[in-house]
Amino acid sequence: MASNISEGFEVVNPDPGALIESLRSFGYSLEASIADIVDNSVTAGACNIHIQFSWSGEQSTIAIMDDGCGMTEDELVNAMRPGSRSPLEERDPGDLGRFGLGLKTASFSQCRKLSVGSKAAGHEPAIRIWDLDYVNQCREWRLRKVDPRDSDSTFSALKTRKSGTIVLWEWIDRLVRGAEKDDSRREELFYEHIDTVKSHLGMVFHRFLESPNSLKIFINNRPLPPWDPFIRNHPTTQLLPEEPLYHSGQKITVRPFVLPYRSKLSDRAYEVAGGPGGWNVRQGFYIYRNNRLIVAGDWLGLGFRKEAHTKLARIIVDIPNSMDEDWKIDVRKSVARPPAHLRDDFKRIARLTIERATAVYRHRGKVVERQTAEDFVFPWNANVRDGTYFYTVNRSHPLVAAALENSGDNRKNIEAILRLIEETVPIPTIIVNNTENPDKLRRPFEGCPSEELRAVMNEIWLSMRHSGVSTAEAGKRLARMEPFCDYPEYVSAFFELMEEK
């Protein structure tokens, strides 16, 4: 019997079953796993990708089908090999892969049976299967070969296509273990995953979906819309100057955006613009590698925190796939960190963008030249004393000033009420609510009948007119006053009505 000890070393092959189970634990989510498969379809030049969720209890399946260039039988066998390509190899500039593991690790993380059928132009279809239970049983890397003529309807579609690839996940134990076919609750949960996958893919591949002659992705036959993280077409979106940075002679493009404040967007537009996870989660840098989104909102370990007042800051970073190692791109393509010598540049750009975003947030999205205190009127004043913050009612606000002036014998009572309100503002509760649910705080007069807004506006208008302010000036002041600046259409209509009188 030949010895496995030779010339000072031993050949120690890993146990196939143990290694495969380890490969299942890379931390992929369902949506990240499917995105990894879609990467291969995009690299293969696919124009149409169909993702099909099919419920059948524990026999449920997920299939990803494309019309890309496909693979010959030899190419398919190599693609099914764990570590099919060294990450050190130079890649085609448009290649979205890196480690030669994506197809396998992404699939193994979700299913125990991976079947791939593929057809290259001018070649017959080929099918190969990884059955993890079989590999565990035989303790060898046995890749099953299937005759396409004996395949089920899932792979029969290849016969009529010029080229393409179909990836089929069966025994998707992470999703449907123990589920009965007639379990309506489990079926509902299974299909709920479609919304998560839809949001993730629309975000990750939005550039491909937006481009001319664009890629089309369908989930259960419904087309997938792209998600634009930067609301480019909105008139109040701020595009800050583009800045090129260089690493090893190669260009990195950085483009900061400051998004519109809540009051500038409709309820639906605001909800959509928040993206998967919401506004707070999606602030920060967006790292694109060959137009594929790798990181969707992160401060990259640069020392900045995700705060409510910085959530309007989003920054594009475009890198080539030749920088994967320098940016520490991981197997799941979900983590990136800038090279050490660029960290100061990224900090500077982040700080500038955050300052702009914070200014918009604190001014509630208003575009106002604040030269004097009279230019813009808030009902509240923010104050600092001995290093602590506190808030007081603005006594010079027209409505407050009029109430105090006309209070007569009740002035002391009104002053006492104001002081009581000032001293009992529930600041800790506001901070907690804003931190935990930053997108769920109600705007002033949000959801209230328009008559209530007009009634308050009318009282302030009368206060200003009684104090000698002209009609035109009163209209201008209303437009610069919180919260009416968030409702310019009501101010305009109200002003026109007052002019007619």
Side-chain angles (χ1 to χ4, degrees), residues 454 457-459 461 478 489-499:
R454 292 192 183 98
M457 193 183 304
N458 185 64
E459 291 301 316
W461 170 277
L478 272 179
E489 67 278 11
Y490 289 113
V491 174
S492 297
F494 180 84
F495 182 57
E496 290 174 4
L497 179 62
M498 292 300 104
E499 281 190 317

Side-chain angles (χ1 to χ4, degrees), residues 156-276:
S156 62
L158 289 172
K159 300 172 185 176
T160 59
R161 294 184 181 181
K162 178 182 177 182
S163 63
T165 298
I166 299 174
V167 175
L168 177 64
W169 291 350
E170 298 174 273
W171 306 342
I172 43 181
D173 56 329
R174 300 283 165 86
L175 291 184
V176 297
R177 180 186 288 119
E180 299 291 339
K181 186 175 181 179
D182 59 355
D183 187 334
S184 59
R185 178 54 183 157
R186 291 293 296 272
E187 180 178 4
E188 182 181 346
L189 290 172
F190 176 75
Y191 284 118
E192 280 179 3
H193 287 291
I194 291 178
D195 290 334
T196 304
V197 172
K198 175 183 174 181
S199 298
H200 185 74
L201 297 185
M203 174 177 69
V204 168
F205 297 101
H206 78 90
R207 286 186 172 180
F208 295 95
L209 296 167
E210 294 165 346
S211 64
N213 303 315
S214 62
L215 169 74
K216 292 180 175 59
I217 299 177
F218 302 86
I219 301 181
N220 280 25
N221 299 318
R222 294 187 176 183
L224 174 69
W227 176 65
D228 175 17
F230 309 101
I231 327 180
R232 299 167 190 269
N233 295 325
H234 197 279
T236 62
T237 296
Q238 298 181 40
L239 172 57
L240 304 186
E242 179 180 305
E243 182 164 350
L245 301 175
Y246 292 89
H247 175 70
S248 299
Q250 291 184 293
K251 183 179 178 181
I252 299 169
T253 303
V254 184
R255 287 171 285 184
F257 287 78
V258 176
L259 274 56
Y261 183 70
R262 170 71 179 87
S263 62
K264 304 299 181 181
L265 301 169
S266 67
D267 291 342
R268 175 58 182 161
Y270 182 77
E271 180 184 354
V272 171

